[in-house]
Amino acid sequence: QSALTQPASVSGSPGQSITISCTGTSSDIGDYNYVSWYQQHPGKAPKLMIYDVTNRPSGVSNRFSGSKSGNTASLTISGLQPEDEADYYCSSYTSSITLVFGGGTKLTVL
Amino acid sequence: QLQLQESGPGLVKPSETLSLTCTVSGDSIRSTRYYWGWIRQPPGKGLEWIETIYYSGSTYYNPSLKSRVTISIDMSKNQFSLRLSSVTAADTAVYYCVTSTFSNFDAFDVWGQGTVVTVSP
């Protein structure tokens, strides 16, 4: 299975909004609403930020939102804050009953 | 509160078998709510899903690792385990045990702290 495609890096200034894309195929993102997004700070375990494309776990800021169109899912962070600087990973369920991750995107808050 | 804790050797020799255990606390591993899984992260690289098991014994594997991995559940100890055979330096990584309280196959909201495994002679 091929990894989902994410941009290597994105950046934004405090208060701005950014969007991270995650592109898959019709065998994963395109066919299922089982896309998750994780935030990982250096040396820490990943934290679930979005699941089932649009749902936020309890305790996750509503500045984080998810969406999907065709084979591409997106994570939008509004009102960027310094603590949002981290690596972000998407994942998707696949038609083979497996999971596949994206390569990760490094978010820099300028 | 559901918690996971990995344990196992931090150093494994090439060609040998890596064995890790994840101890579950805060709920029963027999619960029908959870899928239990393993994810790893090589140094400086991204996340890689390894395998998942359901309490019933149903197992799901990353195709690229399927020939070398085994996942099992020990209900008496409230633990589940990973075995990865014929390891090489490419298997050096932080290994996380994970689960989802949303009863999802994915969407892991509970993670262990991670355990570093180095493959070296």
Side-chain angles (χ1 to χ4, degrees):
Chain A
Q1 58 189 22
S2 299
L4 306 175
T5 300
Q6 298 181 233
S9 63
V10 298
S11 63
S13 299
Q16 288 186 333
S17 294
I18 63 94
T19 296
I20 300 172
S21 62
C22 172
T23 301
T25 70
S26 57
S27 296
D28 40 65
I29 292 177
D31 211 23
Y32 301 95
N33 289 324
Y34 295 130
V35 177
S36 298
W37 289 92
Y38 299 87
Q39 175 193 66
Q40 186 180 35
H41 289 110
K44 302 294 187 181
K47 175 185 177 182
L48 180 68
M49 306 302 284
I50 297 288
Y51 69 99
D52 293 351
V53 179
T54 61
N55 294 336
R56 273 189 313 275
S58 175
V60 172
S61 171
N62 59 10
R63 298 185 299 105
F64 292 83
S65 62
S67 62
K68 188 185 88 166
S69 177
N71 295 340
T72 299
S74 299
L75 172 71
T76 298
I77 308 174
S78 59
L80 267 181
Q81 298 182 0
E83 59 264 33
D84 297 334
E85 185 163 295
D87 293 326
Y88 290 84
Y89 295 92
C90 60
S91 73
S92 175
Y93 178 82
T94 83
S95 59
S96 301
I97 318 180
T98 62
L99 291 176
V100 62
F101 279 95
T105 298
K106 181 177 180 60
L107 168 62
T108 301
V109 180
L110 302 170
Chain B
Q1 181 182 359
L2 189 62
Q3 293 184 317
L4 306 177
Q5 177 67 58
E6 305 91 350
S7 59
L11 182 64
V12 182
K13 291 182 168 55
S15 80
E16 294 189 345
T17 296
L18 179 163
S19 295
L20 296 175
T21 296
C22 183
T23 300
V24 179
S25 59
D27 205 341
S28 172
I29 203 166
R30 301 170 186 266
S31 172
T32 60
R33 288 187 61 188
Y34 309 112
Y35 288 87
W36 310 100
W38 292 94
I39 289 171
R40 70 180 183 179
Q41 185 171 34
K45 296 187 178 181
L47 303 172
E48 180 180 33
W49 172 71
I50 301 172
E51 58 186 3
T52 293
I53 188 168
Y54 192 49
Y55 86 103
S56 62
S58 297
T59 54
Y60 311 89
Y61 299 102
N62 185 324
S64 67
L65 298 170
K66 184 174 182 177
S67 64
R68 297 195 292 131
V69 299
T70 305
I71 188 171
S72 59
I73 284 182
D74 186 335
M75 293 188 181
S76 66
K77 295 182 179 179
N78 225 38
Q79 296 175 334
F80 62 100
S81 299
L82 161 71
R83 288 173 57 86
L84 178 64
S85 64
S86 304
V87 298
T88 69
D91 296 310
T92 294
V94 177
Y95 285 75
Y96 297 99
C97 57
V98 296
T99 191
S100 170
T101 63
F102 304 109
S103 301
N104 278 26
F105 183 83
D106 64 327
F108 305 117
D109 60 325
V110 181
W111 293 64
Q113 65 184 27
T115 188
V116 177
V117 177
T118 301
V119 178
S120 179

